[in-house]
Amino acid sequence: MIKVIIIGSGNVAQHLIAAFQNSQNLGTEIELVQVFSRQIGSVSHLLDLDHITNDFDTLTEADLYIIAVSDDAIAAISSKLPFKNRLVVHTSGSVPLNALDDNNRKGVFYPLQTFTKNKAVDFKIIPICLESENATDFQLLEKVAKAISDKIFAINSEQRKALHVAAVFVNNFVNHLYQIGNEICQEHQVPFEILKPLISETTQKIMVLSPSAAQTGPAKRNDIKTIQAHEAFLSNEDHLKIYKTLTQSIQHNGKKL
Amino acid sequence: MIKVIIIGSGNVAQHLIAAFQNSQNLGTEIELVQVFSRQIGSVSHLLDLDHITNDFDTLTEADLYIIAVSDDAIAAISSKLPFKNRLVVHTSGSVPLNALDDNNRKGVFYPLQTFTKNKAVDFKIIPICLESENATDFQLLEKVAKAISDKIFAINSEQRKALHVAAVFVNNFVNHLYQIGNEICQEHQVPFEILKPLISETTQKIMVLSPSAAQTGPAKRNDIKTIQAHEAFLSNEDHLKIYKTLTQSIQHNGKKL
C-alpha cells in the first residue's frame, strides 16, 4: 500500500479526501492514513476522528504528504513538518516547487479544477499536473494520481505558472463576464436564464473547434456601427472599459491573421 | 396550417429551416412553404428547388415572413417585399423592430444562440425572443415559435438590446478569453486540453450558483502577490491589458458588496 497524508481542510483538501476515499473503496493500492486539520471539526464529517490530527508531532509515517492549504501558508507549513527526507508536495498552481522546505523531498500535485464546497466533482476527468525533483518520486506521484484521475500530466514550475495564468482567464475572468451579463440583464428586467443556453453552447463549441475558429460577433466582423451602439448603451464604467478592451483585442487578432 | 417563409440563407436561416422541417415532420401546424435565397445553391441541400426562389416577385402568400439576414441588410430587404400589410419579422438581437419597412406589420423573432455552420443545435432549448406591434401578431409568433422551441419570451426592443450586449459579454468575449488561454498554453508548450475540464466546470457552476457567488481567484481574494506575479508573467500587451482591466473590475465588485 502507498500511504498518503493530507495536510489541510479547505476545498481542495476536502475534495482530495473524498477522491482518495472513493479510490480506496474501489480497491486501489492507495491508503489515506491521516488528515491534518487545525480545526478537527472541519473534516470530522469526512473521516473517523482517529485519522485526524491537529498536532504536527503526531503525524504518522507515510509515502506522501500532500499539503493542500492556501498559497501563502505552504512554505510555513512545510517547514513545520517534524521529519526529514520524506516526499512532501503542494497542490497549488501558482507556487513553485522550491517554495517547499529543504528538509524533505519536494513535489507538486496540482489538480487543475475549480472546487466548490458541497458541489461534487468527477475527479476522474480532472487533470493532475505533477512535478518532482527525481524520477522515483515522480513514479510514486503518478501512481497516486492515477488512483483518482485518468488525466496525468508532467508539468514543470514554469509551465504550471502559464497554466495558472491561463486558468485565471478561462475561469475567473470568464465567470466575471457571466456576472456582467447577469448585471446587464437585471438592469433591464430580463431574466439571466435566457442567456444560459448560449453560455453552454459557447463552451461546447471550443470542445470541437479552436477558440479562434469559434469567434463571432461585432468585434470579429469589425461591425463599427454595432460596437458604437453597444458602447453608448453601457452606463457602467467598468462594463464599458471591459467592452472596449476586449473588442480591441479581438480586432487586433483579426489583423494578425 | 400557418404558412411561413424564410428570407435568407446564412447560418440562422439554415438552422431555422432545419428546425421548421423537424417540427413539420412531428406534425405541428406550421408549414415552411418557401425560402428566399439570392443564391439558390446555398439552400438547395436543405429543400426542394420548387420551394426556393431568388426573385422577390415570386414570393407566395404566407402568414409570416422571417427575414434572417445580416443586420445591415434587414431594412433594405424589408423594403423590397412586393406586398403590404403582412406580418414581417427579423431575427436580429441588435436591430430595433422599427428598422423594418412600414409597408408591412412588424415583428421580431430572435433565437438567442450562437449558430455554427454544420454543427447541429437542439432548437428546443434555444430561447426565442418575440416582439410585435399588436397582440394578434404576437399570438401567431408564439404559435410558430412554440413549434420549434420550448422557451418563448416576450422581449421588447430595449430589452433585446440589453440581451444582445450581455450576449456579447458571455459569448464573444468569453470565447476570446478561451483564445487567450490557448495562446498562453501554446507559448509555454502546455496542451490547451488540460484547461477544458476547468472550462466546462466554470460554466456548470453558474447553472446552479449565481456568477457572483461562483467567483474565485486572486482578484476576488485581493491576492496582490499573485496578481503582480501574473502581470509580470504576461508578455503580450493585449493579454496584460485585459488581465488588469478584468482584475480591477472584480476588485471593484468586492468593494461594492
Side-chain angles (χ1 to χ4, degrees):
Chain A
M1 293 297 275
I2 297 174
K3 292 182 177 175
V4 174
I5 290 180
I6 290 174
I7 298 166
S9 59
N11 257 335
V12 175
Q14 295 208 12
H15 278 97
L16 278 176
I17 292 168
F20 283 120
Q21 285 176 332
N22 269 341
S23 89
Q24 232 164 296
N25 294 340
L26 295 170
T28 58
E29 56 172 340
I30 313 301
E31 189 187 351
L32 181 65
V33 291
Q34 204 178 26
V35 169
F36 175 95
S37 171
R38 230 174 310 167
Q39 308 278 335
I40 299 283
S42 310
V43 291
S44 56
H45 59 297
L46 292 171
L47 66 181
D48 292 343
L49 285 179
D50 55 346
H51 290 292
I52 309 173
T53 179
N54 59 4
D55 177 0
F56 286 113
D57 289 326
T58 63
L59 280 174
T60 61
E61 187 151 1
D63 301 291
L64 173 63
Y65 297 80
I66 301 177
I67 301 181
V69 301
S70 64
D71 292 357
D72 284 347
I74 290 169
I77 285 185
S78 74
S79 71
K80 281 186 193 156
L81 299 178
F83 46 73
K84 289 193 183 221
N85 204 31
R86 297 187 193 166
L87 180 55
V88 175
V89 301
H90 71 66
T91 58
S92 165
S94 58
V95 173
L97 176 123
N98 282 322
L100 292 164
D101 193 274
D102 287 332
N103 272 332
N104 287 290
R105 280 146 38 221
K106 303 166 191 175
V108 178
F109 191 97
Y110 169 42
L112 205 167
Q113 187 52 286
T114 172
F115 296 101
T116 313
K117 230 161 204 157
N118 304 322
K119 183 177 186 301
V121 289
D122 179 6
F123 229 101
K124 281 280 157 203
I125 61 159
I126 295 179
I128 302 187
C129 305
L130 302 178
E131 183 181 7
S132 70
E133 293 175 299
N134 66 65
T136 320
D137 286 342
F138 192 87
Q139 278 165 12
L140 186 123
L141 290 180
E142 220 174 8
K143 268 190 197 163
V144 174
K146 277 183 180 164
I148 58 174
S149 169
D150 293 332
K151 298 187 172 186
I152 315 300
F153 296 88
I155 297 288
N156 65 35
S157 288
E158 187 68 13
Q159 289 174 311
R160 197 172 61 254
K161 211 180 206 175
L163 266 178
H164 191 251
V165 176
V168 168
F169 279 87
V170 303
N171 167 251
N172 302 161
F173 291 169
V174 161
N175 185 76
H176 187 57
L177 295 183
Y178 294 157
Q179 186 178 339
I180 292 174
N182 193 5
E183 286 169 3
I184 294 171
C185 283
Q186 283 178 338
E187 204 183 318
H188 296 88
Q189 286 83 47
V190 183
F192 181 55
E193 293 301 314
I194 302 190
L195 290 173
K196 288 189 173 174
L198 176 67
I199 286 171
S200 292
E201 179 67 11
T202 304
T203 303
Q204 282 309 308
K205 253 192 178 179
I206 61 126
M207 302 298 159
V208 291
L209 290 176
S210 75
S212 87
Q215 189 66 53
T216 57
K220 167 80 175 187
R221 289 195 306 273
N222 213 18
D223 176 352
I224 306 295
K225 216 176 116 192
T226 300
I227 293 169
Q228 285 174 344
H230 287 175
E231 289 179 358
F233 187 81
L234 290 166
S235 54
N236 178 304
E237 215 175 289
D238 278 339
H239 296 182
L240 181 59
K241 199 173 168 191
I242 290 167
Y243 188 97
K244 286 182 174 176
T245 305
L246 283 161
T247 293
Q248 275 167 15
S249 180
I250 294 170
Q251 288 173 324
H252 290 169
N253 264 332
K255 281 176 194 151
K256 275 187 285 176
L257 294 175
Chain B
M1 296 295 276
I2 298 175
K3 292 182 178 176
V4 174
I5 290 179
I6 291 175
I7 298 167
S9 59
N11 258 335
V12 176
Q14 295 206 13
H15 279 96
L16 277 176
I17 292 168
F20 282 120
Q21 285 175 332
N22 269 340
S23 89
Q24 231 165 300
N25 294 340
L26 295 169
T28 58
E29 56 172 339
I30 312 302
E31 190 186 352
L32 180 65
V33 291
Q34 203 177 25
V35 170
F36 175 95
S37 170
R38 232 175 306 166
Q39 307 278 333
I40 298 283
S42 311
V43 291
S44 56
H45 59 298
L46 292 171
L47 66 179
D48 294 341
L49 286 179
D50 55 343
H51 289 292
I52 309 172
T53 179
N54 60 3
D55 177 0
F56 286 113
D57 289 325
T58 63
L59 282 173
T60 61
E61 187 148 3
D63 301 291
L64 173 63
Y65 297 79
I66 301 179
I67 300 181
V69 301
S70 64
D71 291 359
D72 285 346
I74 291 169
I77 285 186
S78 75
S79 71
K80 280 186 192 158
L81 299 177
F83 45 73
K84 289 189 184 224
N85 205 30
R86 300 186 191 167
L87 180 55
V88 175
V89 301
H90 71 66
T91 59
S92 166
S94 58
V95 173
L97 176 122
N98 281 323
L100 292 164
D101 193 274
D102 288 331
N103 272 332
N104 287 288
R105 281 143 42 219
K106 303 166 192 178
V108 178
F109 190 98
Y110 170 43
L112 204 166
Q113 186 50 284
T114 171
F115 295 100
T116 313
K117 231 160 203 156
N118 303 321
K119 185 177 186 300
V121 290
D122 179 6
F123 229 102
K124 281 279 155 204
I125 63 160
I126 297 179
I128 301 186
C129 305
L130 301 178
E131 183 180 8
S132 69
E133 293 174 300
N134 67 64
T136 319
D137 287 342
F138 191 87
Q139 280 166 10
L140 185 121
L141 289 180
E142 220 173 10
K143 267 191 197 165
V144 173
K146 278 183 179 164
I148 58 173
S149 170
D150 292 334
K151 299 188 171 186
I152 314 299
F153 296 87
I155 297 288
N156 65 34
S157 288
E158 188 68 10
Q159 289 174 311
R160 198 171 60 253
K161 212 179 204 174
L163 266 178
H164 192 252
V165 176
V168 168
F169 279 87
V170 303
N171 166 252
N172 304 160
F173 291 169
V174 161
N175 185 75
H176 187 58
L177 295 182
Y178 295 157
Q179 186 178 340
I180 292 174
N182 193 5
E183 286 169 1
I184 293 171
C185 284
Q186 284 178 338
E187 204 183 319
H188 296 86
Q189 285 83 49
V190 184
F192 181 54
E193 293 301 312
I194 302 189
L195 290 172
K196 288 189 174 174
L198 176 68
I199 287 172
S200 291
E201 179 67 12
T202 305
T203 304
Q204 283 308 309
K205 253 189 176 178
I206 61 128
M207 301 298 158
V208 292
L209 290 176
S210 75
S212 88
Q215 189 66 53
T216 58
K220 168 79 176 189
R221 290 195 306 275
N222 212 17
D223 174 352
I224 305 295
K225 215 175 114 193
T226 300
I227 292 169
Q228 285 172 345
H230 285 177
E231 289 178 357
F233 187 81
L234 290 166
S235 55
N236 179 303
E237 215 176 289
D238 277 340
H239 296 181
L240 181 59
K241 199 172 169 192
I242 290 168
Y243 189 97
K244 287 182 172 173
T245 305
L246 283 161
T247 293
Q248 276 168 14
S249 180
I250 293 171
Q251 288 173 323
H252 290 168
N253 264 334
K255 280 177 194 152
K256 275 187 283 176
L257 293 174

